[in-house]
Amino acid sequence: MFEEREEPLVSIITPLYNSEKYIRKTIESVLNQTYKNWEMLIVDDCSKDNGVKIVNEYVLKDKRIKLFRNEKNEGVSSTRNKALDLAQGKYIAFLDSDDLWKKEKLEKQISFMEKNNIDLSYTGYEKINTDGSLRGEIKVPKKIDYKELLKNCLIGFLTAIYLKEKFEIYRFKKTKVEDYIFWLEIFKQIDYAYGIQESLAYYRVSNNSRSSNKLDIVKFHWKIYREYEKLNFFKAIYYYFIYIKRGIKRYKK
C-alpha cells in the first residue's frame, strides 16, 4: 500500500436516485477501501425516498463524502456530468448507488495504473442479485482497443478508472447506453485500456435495470454504429453481427 502522502486523489462519481435500499452498503464499500485518499461525489437527482437522508448521515461523519442535489430531475447522464465538473481528483472512478467495491479495489487499481503509466483501466467483477446473492463472474481481457470495444462493451462501468487530465473534455450524452458511447469516444484517443484480471467489484442486477431490457439495447447498437460512430454500412454490419453472435453465446451459458 502507498504511504498516504503519496496517494493521488481519486474522485468517485455516484449518481443517486431512489436508492435508499442500497446506498448505505455502497458508501460502506468505499469507506472500507484500503486506499484512503478519495472523495465521493454523490449527486442526487431529486430522489423521492430516504436516500438523501442516509447520505447526509455519512456526510456528517466523513468530509470525503460530498452530497450535491439537482434542482430538477435531469437523468443519469447530466447527473454524472455535474459530478465530473466538481471532481478534484487525479483519477476518476465510477460507482453507481446500488453497486459495491471489494476493499482492495482502489489500492490495487491505482497502484497498477501508477506503476505502468496507464490512462484507463478496468477490472473483473461479479454480478449479484437484488438480495446480494451471487449471479456470476465477469472475466476481462488484459487489454482492449477501440476495434475490440466496438464488438462488445467489455468494461464494467463500476470498475473503470481513468486519468482525469487525459480525458477532461469528455461528458456523457443524454441517450441510451450512455456509458458505452462514452467509452467509445475515449477509446479513439488511446491505443489500449488495460485490465486487472481479478474480480474487484459487485454489479447489482435488478429487474428494472436498463441492462435487463436487452431487446432495446440490441436495437440501439445499430444506431450507435451508424449515427454515433459513423461507420459505413458494411463495417456496421460486421460489428453488429459480432455483437449479436456474442450476445447469443452469453445468453446460452
Side-chain angles (χ1 to χ4, degrees):
M1 182 176 176
F2 297 126
E3 295 292 332
E4 187 168 350
R5 60 185 174 82
E6 297 178 349
E7 293 181 346
L9 180 65
V10 179
S11 296
I12 304 164
I13 308 301
T14 302
L16 178 70
Y17 183 71
N18 293 345
S19 297
E20 66 175 349
K21 185 176 180 181
Y22 306 114
I23 187 60
R24 189 180 299 278
K25 288 185 177 180
T26 298
I27 294 173
E28 290 288 346
S29 79
V30 175
L31 288 170
N32 289 334
Q33 291 296 301
T34 54
Y35 189 96
K36 300 302 181 183
N37 193 21
W38 49 261
E39 60 173 0
M40 188 176 191
L41 306 176
I42 302 174
V43 182
D44 175 58
D45 196 23
C46 298
S47 296
K48 299 176 182 179
D49 61 5
N50 291 316
V52 168
K53 182 179 179 180
I54 294 170
V55 173
N56 270 321
E57 293 176 17
Y58 288 95
V59 170
L60 294 173
K61 295 176 183 178
D62 196 315
K63 65 180 181 180
R64 295 174 297 177
I65 300 172
K66 304 169 185 179
L67 175 64
F68 305 91
R69 303 188 72 178
N70 293 336
E71 293 183 1
K72 61 180 181 179
N73 183 270
E74 297 183 15
V76 69
S77 292
S78 294
T79 301
R80 286 194 184 120
N81 289 340
K82 181 174 183 177
L84 286 173
D85 292 340
L86 295 165
Q88 298 297 312
K90 177 180 179 179
Y91 293 100
I92 300 292
F94 298 96
L95 182 63
D96 284 352
S97 57
D98 56 351
D99 295 332
L100 307 168
W101 283 345
K102 295 185 180 181
K103 65 180 182 179
E104 306 92 354
K105 200 262 188 188
L106 286 181
E107 180 181 356
K108 289 184 176 182
Q109 200 165 353
I110 297 301
S111 176
F112 174 66
M113 296 179 74
E114 289 277 297
K115 289 179 180 178
N116 297 289
N117 195 29
I118 291 171
D119 294 330
L120 171 59
S121 73
Y122 53 91
T123 79
Y125 62 99
E126 294 172 67
K127 289 186 175 183
I128 57 175
N129 295 307
T130 53
D131 62 0
S133 59
L134 186 62
R135 186 170 178 144
E137 182 178 1
I138 303 299
K139 297 182 180 181
V140 294
K142 289 183 178 180
K143 62 181 183 179
I144 304 171
D145 63 7
Y146 173 73
K147 289 182 179 179
E148 190 63 30
L149 191 68
L150 279 171
K151 298 173 184 176
N152 191 25
C153 187
L154 299 169
I155 297 179
F157 192 65
L158 73 165
T159 76
I161 296 180
Y162 66 76
L163 184 66
K164 180 186 174 185
E165 68 176 7
K166 177 76 173 183
F167 309 110
E168 183 75 43
I169 66 171
Y170 294 96
R171 293 295 184 269
F172 293 92
K173 290 181 169 59
K174 293 184 178 181
T175 184
K176 296 177 182 178
V177 289
E178 76 293 329
D179 52 342
Y180 183 42
I181 294 170
F182 182 77
W183 295 133
L184 286 169
E185 289 187 344
I186 283 180
F187 266 70
K188 294 171 189 174
Q189 309 304 318
I190 59 176
D191 293 327
Y192 292 99
Y194 295 88
I196 296 176
Q197 294 181 304
E198 179 183 355
S199 175
L200 293 175
Y202 296 101
Y203 171 70
R204 197 182 304 273
V205 180
S206 59
N207 292 331
N208 61 351
S209 67
R210 291 174 301 158
S211 62
S212 66
N213 196 346
K214 301 297 184 185
L215 183 58
D216 282 349
I217 292 176
V218 168
K219 291 178 179 178
F220 193 71
H221 261 71
W222 179 253
K223 184 175 182 179
I224 291 173
Y225 295 141
R226 293 290 281 155
E227 295 184 22
Y228 287 92
E229 297 308 299
K230 300 189 184 306
L231 301 181
N232 67 46
F233 180 80
F234 296 103
K235 279 189 176 181
I237 285 288
Y238 169 75
Y239 285 111
Y240 196 58
F241 174 77
I242 294 175
Y243 166 72
I244 296 293
K245 183 178 179 180
R246 289 185 175 183
I248 293 172
K249 186 177 180 180
R250 287 198 308 273
Y251 180 79
K252 288 181 177 180
K253 288 183 177 180

